[in-house]
Amino acid sequence: MSAPGDADRPALEGGLPVRDTLLPFFRVELGSEEEEAAVRALRSGWISTGPECERFEADLAGFLGLPPAQAVSVASCTAGLHLALRAAGVGPGDEVITSPMTFPASANAILHAGAVPVFADVVPAWLTLDPAAVRAAVGPRTRAILPVHFAGWPCEMDALGGIAAEHDLAIVEDAAHAIGATWRGRPAGTLGDAAAFSFYATKNLTTCEGGLVATAHPEWARRMRVERLHGIDLDASQRDGHDYRHWESVSLGWKYNLNDLQAAIGRVQLARLPEQVRLRREADSRYRAALAASELVEPISGPAGAETAAHLFPVRLRTERLRVGRDHVLRALLAENVGVGVHFRALPLHRFFRDAGHRPEAVPAAVEASHRLLSLPLHPGIKELEQQQVVEALLRILRWYAA
Ligand SMILES: *Cc1c(COP(=O)(O)O)cnc(C)c1O
């Protein structure tokens, strides 16, 4: 798409855009505390995986209500998903059921483990895995379910847990959007056998790049610690110092470790997380209230029992009531200086997955949503006035194009 211009602004017919500068879709929220923590780590002498990573793991385990050994920091959520699937025993010949409404990383991790992703359709209102579709997708090769908590809303974990128990499947949560979310009062990330969080730049908690995998099984954690660092049985901090021990290569491994600068930033971010999630939820509620009366747009929400981490604010456009499609509305919003995103276009619509034989027709609810979704700017620092401008621009555009 080319840059939007006046031709994309029919809704205002020559008037001024609602804003004179672009409201970014996302803003980084790092302050002096994160800077100081990073500098302290830099000056400490430990710049790779060391004591800060260990403290970050303990802090995050505490946040989740797990023993410290069961939180394993890693280089990314994708790395965490890969290690968790391996710990679950997933390998060549296996199938893993996952959501088509996700970032490619969720399915790529399944492929990295040597297994085949099987996309089950989503619940239209929530865009998380439909338990009935998951049940129908279970076959003799199914080894695990990889549910994706969407936009901050946890999946229907009781139903998915029931299917997993019935068929002896592992559950590995993709909790990239969901740090701070709860399901029936329990934190997302503790609802299956293992869960991976993302600390990528745009996520609710960031370490610039990074991730963490939490698990209910101490033996999975032990295996993941070895595999995250070359498959050797000692990490760097244990290789240093007076009591020399030979380390040994004990399995195939990867270079998936987090470093102490990232962990130091992550500890500050974690301390700020509850307040940041509170601000996100407030912004989320303000959007919902402002859009409630419109019959042209429908915010995505989650099932009863789910409390959102308010990572994203996706809405479904009622394009059957509009004269134009989603991409037209998207460009019109950009022309009003409102940053937007699309989360997501279902994976079977992408070339790589289509070429691998995944059929969009198999996931009609995900495909329908793919052509109607738009994500509005949502971050802890967004101002009420900015949200009013977003809503004003969106509603004006939709009214203009109403059929
Ligand atoms: C961001 C994201 C990931 C990947 O996270 P990384 O830390 O970049 O590997 C995985 N799944 C979902 C749903 C995401 O949004």
Side-chain angles (χ1 to χ4, degrees):
M1 285 187 229
S2 55
D6 276 349
D8 296 303
R9 303 188 46 246
L12 290 180
E13 285 211 303
L16 292 173
V18 296
R19 295 176 49 87
D20 52 13
T21 56
L22 182 71
L23 173 67
F25 176 68
F26 154 76
R27 277 191 201 119
V28 177
E29 297 265 348
L30 294 174
S32 54
E33 281 183 82
E34 282 89 344
E35 283 172 23
E36 284 159 23
V39 168
R40 231 179 297 125
L42 196 57
R43 289 177 179 164
S44 73
W46 274 110
I47 54 173
S48 184
T49 309
E52 279 298 311
C53 284
E54 212 170 295
R55 289 182 202 120
F56 182 42
E57 290 172 350
D59 291 354
L60 221 127
F63 176 79
L64 297 173
L66 291 173
Q70 284 164 235
V72 181
S73 59
V74 284
S76 69
C77 176
T78 314
L81 291 171
H82 180 195
L83 295 184
L85 289 168
R86 284 182 54 84
V90 171
D94 294 334
E95 292 178 352
V96 177
I97 299 171
T98 193
S99 172
M101 291 308 277
T102 186
F103 193 64
S106 319
N108 287 348
I110 296 168
L111 292 167
H112 293 328
V116 174
V118 173
F119 296 113
D121 210 358
V122 294
V123 178
W126 310 325
L127 305 181
T128 48
L129 276 176
D130 179 350
V134 171
R135 186 178 292 281
V138 174
R141 292 170 178 273
T142 309
R143 190 69 182 249
I145 305 172
L146 196 156
V148 180
H149 303 311
F150 180 74
W153 290 99
C155 304
E156 288 176 278
M157 292 305 292
D158 296 4
L160 295 179
I163 297 167
E166 209 175 297
H167 296 278
D168 196 23
L169 309 174
I171 292 191
V172 175
E173 303 167 66
D174 182 334
H177 295 185
I179 193 160
T182 60
W183 169 251
R184 301 200 194 288
R186 289 166 55 206
T190 64
L191 306 169
D193 296 283
F197 295 102
S198 174
F199 307 137
Y200 177 65
T202 59
K203 302 291 159 75
N204 280 16
L205 184 163
T206 186
T207 59
C208 307
E209 294 279 0
L212 181 134
V213 53
T215 177
H217 310 295
E219 67 280 12
W220 288 29
R222 278 193 290 276
R223 177 170 174 182
M224 293 191 292
R225 281 181 197 285
V226 170
E227 292 192 352
R228 80 172 165 183
L229 195 70
H230 306 294
I232 60 178
D233 63 353
L234 291 176
D235 71 26
S237 58
Q238 294 168 297
R239 274 186 277 130
D240 201 64
H242 280 103
D243 51 343
Y244 181 87
R245 254 209 308 143
H246 285 304
W247 51 265
E248 188 171 16
S249 165
V250 294
S251 76
L252 179 61
W254 283 265
K255 190 64 203 291
Y256 280 172
N257 54 313
L258 195 75
N259 69 48
D260 268 24
L261 260 82
Q262 294 168 312
I265 293 170
R267 292 181 67 207
V268 176
Q269 286 267 296
L270 181 60
R272 291 173 62 193
L273 183 76
E275 172 67 2
Q276 301 288 89
V277 170
R278 189 183 66 76
L279 293 169
R280 286 176 172 277
R281 284 178 181 155
E282 280 179 13
D284 179 292
S285 302
R286 284 197 294 268
Y287 272 142
R288 275 174 211 282
L291 295 172
S294 175
E295 306 210 311
L296 300 173
V297 62
E298 185 182 78
I300 301 301
S301 61
E307 202 180 8
T308 186
H311 174 53
L312 297 169
F313 195 82
V315 299
R316 176 193 266 100
L317 303 179
R318 302 289 298 274
T319 48
E320 73 280 7
R321 298 181 182 184
L322 300 175
R323 287 178 284 116
V324 296
R326 184 267 318 277
D327 289 352
H328 210 101
V329 175
L330 184 155
R331 289 178 62 84
L333 271 168
L334 289 173
E336 297 300 326
N337 285 322
V338 172
V340 285
V342 173
H343 302 89
F344 294 95
R345 291 183 301 122
L347 293 184
L349 293 171
H350 292 256
R351 195 186 337 155
F352 174 63
F353 293 99
R354 232 178 31 226
D355 288 353
H358 296 284
R359 293 166 41 253
E361 307 83 75
V363 288
V367 168
E368 187 262 4
S370 299
H371 299 305
R372 296 167 182 236
L373 287 171
L374 202 61
S375 298
L376 304 181
L378 178 73
H379 34 81
I382 196 167
K383 298 183 178 67
E384 276 190 65
L385 174 66
E386 293 170 330
Q387 289 191 280
Q388 284 164 13
Q389 293 167 331
V390 172
V391 168
E392 182 187 334
L394 178 63
L395 293 182
R396 249 204 279 190
I397 292 162
L398 294 180
R399 275 197 298 270
W400 180 264
Y401 287 120

